[in-house]
Amino acid sequence: MDYKGLAQKYGTPLYIYDFNHIKERYNELKNAFSGRKSLVCYAVKANSNLSILRHLANLGAGFDCVSIGEVKRALMAGAKPYQVIFSGVGKSDDEIKTALNSNILMLNLESEAELDRVCAIAKELNKTARISIRINPDVDAKTHPYISTGLNENKFGVDVMSAKKMYLKAKNSAHIEPVGVHFHIGSQITEISSIIEAANIVAKVVSELKALEIDIKFFDVGGGVGIVYDDEQNVSLYDYAQGILAALKGLDVTIVCEPGRFIVGNAGVLLSSVLYEKFNKNRRFVVVDAAMNDLIRPSLYDAHHGVEFLGKNEQISPCDIVGPICESGDFLAKNLNLPKCQSGDLILIKSAGAYGFSMSSNYNTRPRAAEIGIEDGKDRLIRRREKFEDLIALETEFLN
Ligand code: LLP
């Protein structure tokens, strides 16, 4: 890849996504469930760029959304409404209304209060709301606590007993049609056995519901399949799919999964330029033009992203890679060995396709990076770099 040419053409910091890789990952997952009815609903939150969504919609993907904004993005990108799921612990009335009017596949509910709200709104609109309920199976996903969601101590979903109660209530409501069941126990999971354990718990609930004539058609196993950032084991999709299929033995359901990171994580890199090197006593810092506002994962989760230096490889010594933001937490990598850097040298921060741009901000009034896609060897701009004028555009007292 001609990173130097791309940096000259588009500037840095620059997010670069490999559309061919995204397609391969989608197909890998779709094929893992071949022979069974399945729907891969890409988790929009991982990277919500419309061009990426359209690319996935063209491949036949469905979409998992956590705000009406994400639902709108998915539909705008060409998603079929009956392949769109709306999840999340706190949906507003307006969001529920718009979702019902968009005739999406289902709303995924996370509390009894929410069920009551959806029921009331569906009645008002004279519609029937297709729903699933997110079950919190109390299974440890063995991942970073901030991205672990399947324990009772987490805010997500409802326990098995409450879920059964909610399904009965839903069944007896004229405006609710319970069609699915859902769980999602966490993200960046590399021990697939925890997802399989959750699938078994939830499959048992589905059998009980079917016995009560509650016809669950969609079995949604959430996302969470981990990727390799550093020295993690590659997750075997075969084991993942076989484990889920085994849990579903005898149940006639469509398997839904909601991968985010697995599809886009390794497809993206963040290209950044070195501004300066500096030493504070003996500690060496390489200051680059990307910062925590561009990629917050290292600061927020102590996440590791591989770094590739694209300059001359001489005089290697340890350093931290830091950005220009006024916080000590503004680092992209710590304690890594890099050659002596010159201003303008390029650095590649790897595996930045998921939760990179989508979690970026304008902190310190920094315009967000440009995003480009590479497909079949050709590059194209999919989001232009922000300008100062974009950042102040909503500050109404200063608009004329
Ligand atoms: N489905 C639901 C209901 C979710 O909450 C999530 C992620 C996914 C699917 C997709 O999970 P994935 O396949 O990407 O693991 N910002 C964090 C990750 C937060 C994940 C939140 N939920 C990070 O940068 O690691």
Side-chain angles (χ1 to χ4, degrees), residues 41-46 64-66 87-88 108 110 134 144 146-147 149 156 182-184 186-189 220-226 229 257-264 296-297 300-301 303 305 354-356 358-359:
C41 286
Y42 168 68
V44 174
K45 61 177 81 90
D64 166 55
C65 306
V66 278
S87 312
N108 183 22
E110 304 217 18
R134 178 167 178 174
H144 190 287
Y146 283 11
I147 52 176
T149 50
F156 298 98
H182 176 250
F183 69 88
H184 169 81
S187 195
Q188 184 51 16
I189 299 173
D220 185 345
V221 301
V225 175
Y229 284 102
C257 60
E258 305 171 344
R261 192 188 315 267
F262 181 81
I263 304 269
V264 290
I296 202 172
R297 303 194 68 257
L300 194 57
Y301 314 114
H305 285 264
Y355 308 107
S358 64
M359 292 179 80

Side-chain angles (χ1 to χ4, degrees), residues 178-253:
V179 293
V181 70
H182 176 250
F183 69 88
H184 169 81
I185 59 169
S187 195
Q188 184 51 16
I189 299 173
T190 48
E191 282 189 38
I192 281 310
S193 55
S194 49
I195 299 183
I196 312 296
E197 188 185 339
N200 277 289
I201 294 171
V202 177
K204 193 166 160 270
V205 178
V206 173
S207 304
E208 289 167 16
L209 294 176
K210 290 221 179 208
L212 294 169
E213 291 180 353
I214 298 173
D215 188 18
I216 299 298
K217 299 183 182 78
F218 299 96
F219 189 90
D220 185 345
V221 301
V225 175
I227 61 168
V228 175
Y229 284 102
D230 189 10
D231 53 6
E232 297 90 344
Q233 276 276 342
N234 235 321
V235 168
S236 155
L237 279 193
Y238 178 82
D239 293 348
Y240 169 70
Q242 290 306 310
I244 292 167
L245 291 174
L248 292 179
K249 219 165 163 214
L251 288 177
D252 179 23
V253 285

Side-chain angles (χ1 to χ4, degrees), residues 150-389:
L151 288 170
N152 284 345
E153 69 203 50
N154 305 125
K155 69 177 174 182
F156 298 98
V158 296
D159 62 66
V160 168
M161 284 296 287
S162 314
K164 287 188 203 161
K165 226 178 95 199
M166 280 169 68
Y167 275 110
L168 282 173
K169 192 169 185 181
K171 184 191 176 210
N172 293 327
S173 155
H175 293 278
I176 302 275
E177 186 188 358
V179 293
V181 70
H182 176 250
F183 69 88
H184 169 81
I185 59 169
S187 195
Q188 184 51 16
I189 299 173
T190 48
E191 282 189 38
I192 281 310
S193 55
S194 49
I195 299 183
I196 312 296
E197 188 185 339
N200 277 289
I201 294 171
V202 177
K204 193 166 160 270
V205 178
V206 173
S207 304
E208 289 167 16
L209 294 176
K210 290 221 179 208
L212 294 169
E213 291 180 353
I214 298 173
D215 188 18
I216 299 298
K217 299 183 182 78
F218 299 96
F219 189 90
D220 185 345
V221 301
V225 175
I227 61 168
V228 175
Y229 284 102
D230 189 10
D231 53 6
E232 297 90 344
Q233 276 276 342
N234 235 321
V235 168
S236 155
L237 279 193
Y238 178 82
D239 293 348
Y240 169 70
Q242 290 306 310
I244 292 167
L245 291 174
L248 292 179
K249 219 165 163 214
L251 288 177
D252 179 23
V253 285
T254 297
I255 300 164
V256 179
C257 60
E258 305 171 344
R261 192 188 315 267
F262 181 81
I263 304 269
V264 290
N266 291 137
V269 292
L270 175 59
L271 183 64
S272 176
S273 301
V274 172
L275 298 173
Y276 330 97
E277 263 199 25
K278 65 177 282 186
F279 288 85
N280 280 357
K281 285 255 166 83
N282 290 329
R283 198 153 176 125
R284 178 182 167 217
F285 295 95
V286 173
V287 186
V288 299
D289 64 359
M292 66 189 285
N293 75 300
D294 298 300
L295 180 67
I296 202 172
R297 303 194 68 257
S299 316
L300 194 57
Y301 314 114
D302 233 344
H304 170 92
H305 285 264
V307 171
E308 198 178 318
F309 179 68
L310 302 171
K312 280 195 201 137
N313 271 305
E314 291 161 7
Q315 287 181 273
I316 289 174
S317 68
C319 67
D320 293 352
I321 299 186
V322 298
I325 281 181
C326 56
E327 301 225 15
S328 298
D330 179 26
F331 61 89
L332 296 166
K334 278 193 163 170
N335 272 323
L336 78 166
N337 283 310
L338 276 196
K340 183 162 172 37
C341 300
Q342 309 284 337
S343 170
D345 280 346
L346 292 172
I347 274 182
L348 206 56
I349 297 149
K350 297 200 207 163
S351 304
Y355 308 107
F357 188 91
S358 64
M359 292 179 80
S360 65
S361 75
N362 294 121
Y363 187 39
N364 280 202
T365 304
R366 286 173 51 86
R368 277 179 291 180
E371 294 177 289
I372 64 167
I374 312 270
E375 194 168 8
D376 303 330
K378 291 200 188 70
D379 54 273
R380 65 180 203 268
L381 187 64
I382 60 172
R383 192 181 202 272
R384 72 157 166 80
R385 185 174 302 287
E386 286 178 346
K387 298 186 222 153
F388 172 71
E389 290 70 25

